[in-house]
Amino acid sequence: MTSWLIGLAIFLTYLLGFVSAVLALMSSRTSQGAIAWIISLITMPYVAVPAYWIFGRPRFYGYVSARGERDTVLRRLLERYRDRFDPYLPEPGDADIRAVEQLAMMPLTRGNRAELLIDGEDTFDSLFAGIEAAEEYVLIQFFIVRDDALGIELKHRLQRAAERDVRIYFLYDEIGSRGLGDRFLRDLAEAGVEVSAFRSSRGFKHRFQLNFRNHRKVLVVDGREGWLGGFNVGTEYLGQHPRHGHWRDTHLKLTGPSVLGLQEAFWEDWHWATGEMITLTWTPRPSGDADQNVVIVPSGPADYQETASLLVQHAIHSAHERFWVTSPYFVPDQGVQDALRLAAMRGVDVRIMMPERPDHLLVFLSAFSFLPDMLRAGVRVYRYQPGFLHQKVMLIDDAAASVGTVNLDNRSFRLNFEITAVVPDRQFAAEVRLMLEHDFTNCRRVALEELTRRPLWRKLLSRAAYLLSPIQ
């Protein structure tokens, strides 16, 4: 009897492995990922099957359903104010901008002001000033919130705003902020703050969707001011981490109609996390001192196409003179790699800035496997020296730039909910260019020889890390 049960268990395990392998074949978003999962599921089903159902699912199906509901309700809501948006829709632009609007499923708006915030002090001074000035509501979400000095300062600011009868909605990622204690959250709730984790595994039906994370960092105040960028909440983002030291990051403050794009992304996330449809202001408010064009591009695993990867590829193909990009985690998919090499071959000044010091070892090692081909094609690669580089910025010629949360890796392209502000404005592009030129003075340029002369064991290790990148 015992041997019969053991045999049945073995048969069912391999059957489930085969079924899972078929699902991986039909739904994996990369050929590398499909091959890796299929081999693992067939040869090692005891380990691979539970791993696949937790980490390998390619779409956030629960969010897709919620989005369908959102599209119906929110579209009805926005239609009431559609005529109010008309004055802030610029004349039809070129095809490059139309493509970004199609990816974003949001319009380019004018009447905005985009303000660069460089490094921690300026960023958190601006964020805290925005919270202090709130009159109606504050929408706030971060991937990481720590219960340290900076996190406590944020908590106190939100508590004081709640005491002024400002409605506050606080959303955090349950994995990114897994160290956040119950006392921190209870203090906020007792002050009247609406608090929720972004639970990708909400409900029995979606209990295995643990690998989808909300990596967005967004603050919206009264629907008139908004912030997004690379910063989370923790003292390491102020350069106080003993290993990372100086923390180089970039955030963006927006004023104007584009803030409603940030607000819509938060509205959608809050609805998924809580089931609630919160009442917000949807009347666009132009910036009084600037007239910049901005489009907000949310992206994530609930999208019907790979929005983040396509956005990066489109930006590269749009460049004629320069394409500069910074990313702490640089393991782009094949499409982005090919676009970078082709741009360099046609004479575009292609530069990639990444950290010198590793944060995630596998991601760091992966880059060494494909960087030689980049360098041979004429791409320039720079390693930032003073501390840890965490900003996510793109510069396209002297015409446009972007700031957001997207890293150039599989997780940001396919597994994380991200958000990017694309600013097709020459003045803003000039400001970003000056910022990056200063950053390049703090970098060393990577030479092809230092990669090709590495010992064989390091090359093998890098290649193995790269092959694992689709399922990291």
Side-chain angles (χ1 to χ4, degrees), residues 80 83 98 110 114 122 130 167 209 212 225 288 309 330 341 367-368 390 435 466:
R80 303 177 190 175
D83 58 335
R98 289 199 299 274
R110 65 180 184 85
D122 287 348
R167 290 183 291 133
Q209 297 184 139
F212 301 115
E225 292 183 324
S309 177
F330 186 76
R341 288 198 298 268
F368 289 100
H390 192 253
M435 177 185 74
Y466 177 64

Side-chain angles (χ1 to χ4, degrees), residues 70-87:
R70 182 273 291 178
D71 284 345
T72 300
V73 176
L74 189 56
R75 188 178 294 117
R76 275 204 309 267
L77 181 63
L78 292 177
E79 283 298 328
R80 303 177 190 175
Y81 306 105
R82 186 58 61 196
D83 58 335
R84 301 184 187 182
F85 278 87
D86 289 343

Side-chain angles (χ1 to χ4, degrees), residues 120 164 194 204 231 246 249 279 291 296-297 322 330 372 416 442 459 464:
R164 304 194 313 268
E194 296 289 333
F204 180 81
F231 280 97
H246 171 67
D249 219 329
T279 301
D291 189 22
I296 301 299
V297 187
R322 69 180 54 82
F330 186 76
N416 285 346
N442 290 311
K459 293 179 181 179

Side-chain angles (χ1 to χ4, degrees), residues 11-247:
F11 171 77
L12 291 176
T13 300
Y14 275 90
L15 178 62
L16 186 56
F18 177 79
V19 171
S20 300
V22 172
L23 291 175
L25 174 65
M26 299 301 295
S27 61
S28 292
R29 293 193 176 192
T30 68
S31 58
Q32 287 175 296
I35 292 170
W37 280 118
I38 290 169
I39 293 173
S40 300
L41 288 163
I42 292 175
T43 60
M44 300 180 295
Y46 301 101
V47 176
V49 167
Y52 175 75
W53 285 95
I54 293 174
F55 299 112
R57 301 179 74 185
R59 293 284 300 277
F60 193 169
Y61 291 104
Y63 201 106
V64 171
S65 301
R67 169 173 285 177
E69 184 179 348
R70 182 273 291 178
D71 284 345
T72 300
V73 176
L74 189 56
R75 188 178 294 117
R76 275 204 309 267
L77 181 63
L78 292 177
E79 283 298 328
R80 303 177 190 175
Y81 306 105
R82 186 58 61 196
D83 58 335
R84 301 184 187 182
F85 278 87
D86 289 343
Y88 308 108
L89 301 178
E91 293 297 320
D94 58 26
D96 289 340
I97 296 302
R98 289 199 299 274
V100 175
E101 290 180 298
Q102 290 293 314
L103 285 172
M105 297 176 61
M106 291 187 184
L108 179 79
T109 61
R110 65 180 184 85
N112 300 287
R113 182 172 188 268
E115 178 186 350
L116 276 177
L117 298 171
I118 301 172
D119 288 341
E121 286 193 16
D122 287 348
T123 296
F124 287 103
D125 284 349
S126 180
L127 291 170
F128 291 158
I131 293 170
E132 292 294 329
E135 298 176 353
E136 300 176 42
Y137 57 83
V138 171
L139 315 177
I140 182 168
Q141 70 178 128
F142 285 96
F143 177 61
I144 296 172
V145 180
R146 302 205 190 281
D147 190 2
D148 58 13
L150 187 62
I152 291 170
E153 177 66 19
L154 173 65
K155 180 177 72 172
H156 290 164
R157 301 272 182 163
L158 295 176
Q159 288 171 320
R160 288 199 292 269
E163 290 171 358
R164 304 194 313 268
D165 293 327
V166 175
R167 290 183 291 133
I168 300 174
Y169 302 90
F170 180 85
L171 187 63
Y172 64 95
D173 187 87
E174 63 180 342
I175 301 299
S177 301
R178 58 188 176 277
L180 196 59
D182 292 339
R183 175 64 182 273
F184 186 102
L185 301 172
R186 188 166 59 250
D187 288 347
L188 286 175
E190 289 175 352
V193 176
E194 296 289 333
V195 177
S196 177
F198 185 86
R199 300 182 181 90
S200 60
S201 57
R202 179 172 69 101
F204 180 81
K205 182 180 178 182
H206 311 295
R207 62 196 178 281
F208 296 122
Q209 297 184 139
L210 300 179
N211 203 29
F212 301 115
R213 308 269 41 96
N214 196 314
H215 194 240
R216 293 170 181 166
K217 299 96 173 170
V218 170
L219 174 68
V220 174
V221 172
D222 297 340
R224 56 181 171 78
E225 292 183 324
W227 291 258
L228 77 160
F231 280 97
N232 289 295
V233 180
T235 55
E236 68 265 37
Y237 295 90
L238 295 174
Q240 298 177 17
H241 192 283
R243 181 164 64 91
H244 295 309
H246 171 67
W247 191 280

Side-chain angles (χ1 to χ4, degrees), residues 259-280:
V259 175
L260 297 185
L262 293 178
Q263 181 166 285
E264 181 176 341
F266 182 95
W267 191 98
E268 186 176 71
D269 288 347
W270 186 266
H271 176 59
W272 160 257
T274 67
E276 299 173 0
M277 297 182 185
I278 54 179
T279 301
L280 303 172

Side-chain angles (χ1 to χ4, degrees), residues 252-456:
L252 186 67
K253 178 184 178 182
L254 294 173
T255 310
S258 63
V259 175
L260 297 185
L262 293 178
Q263 181 166 285
E264 181 176 341
F266 182 95
W267 191 98
E268 186 176 71
D269 288 347
W270 186 266
H271 176 59
W272 160 257
T274 67
E276 299 173 0
M277 297 182 185
I278 54 179
T279 301
L280 303 172
T281 298
W282 295 100
T283 303
R285 306 180 191 182
S287 170
D289 58 355
D291 189 22
Q292 295 175 312
N293 292 336
V294 179
V295 58
I296 301 299
V297 187
S299 58
D303 295 352
Y304 295 106
Q305 52 193 349
E306 294 177 358
T307 303
S309 177
L310 290 174
L311 176 66
V312 174
Q313 292 181 59
H314 177 65
I316 298 167
H317 291 309
S318 300
H320 300 286
E321 298 175 6
R322 69 180 54 82
F323 178 80
W324 297 352
V325 62
T326 70
S327 178
Y329 314 116
F330 186 76
V331 193
D333 58 26
Q334 195 63 50
V336 172
Q337 291 183 40
D338 292 344
L340 288 168
R341 288 198 298 268
L342 285 170
M345 290 175 183
R346 57 188 169 85
V348 177
D349 177 12
V350 179
R351 302 188 192 185
I352 301 162
M353 190 188 307
M354 61 181 73
E356 179 73 87
R357 307 173 188 178
D359 182 30
H360 294 285
L361 185 59
L362 276 179
V363 175
F364 180 79
L365 290 173
S366 297
F368 289 100
S369 66
F370 58 82
L371 283 181
D373 289 340
M374 293 276 187
L375 295 173
R376 291 187 185 99
V379 175
R380 302 180 185 183
V381 178
Y382 296 83
R383 295 281 191 183
Y384 187 75
Q385 299 296 299
F388 188 69
L389 179 83
H390 192 253
Q391 61 176 330
K392 305 96 166 48
V393 175
M394 293 190 295
L395 175 66
I396 304 97
D397 296 335
D398 291 322
S402 72
V403 177
T405 68
V406 175
N407 298 308
L408 269 67
D409 65 0
N410 181 65
R411 176 158 288 281
S412 275
F413 285 170
R414 298 180 179 89
L415 299 176
N416 285 346
F417 291 89
E418 308 280 6
I419 195 160
T420 303
V422 177
V423 187
D425 179 85
R426 299 186 73 85
Q427 177 185 344
F428 183 75
E431 294 173 5
V432 171
R433 180 178 177 178
L434 286 174
M435 177 185 74
L436 294 181
E437 285 176 340
H438 180 265
D439 289 335
F440 282 123
T441 65
N442 290 311
C443 294
R444 70 171 183 87
R445 186 173 172 182
V446 177
L448 178 61
E449 291 75 17
E450 76 173 84
L451 302 180
T452 57
R453 291 177 181 174
R454 291 175 302 140
L456 179 60

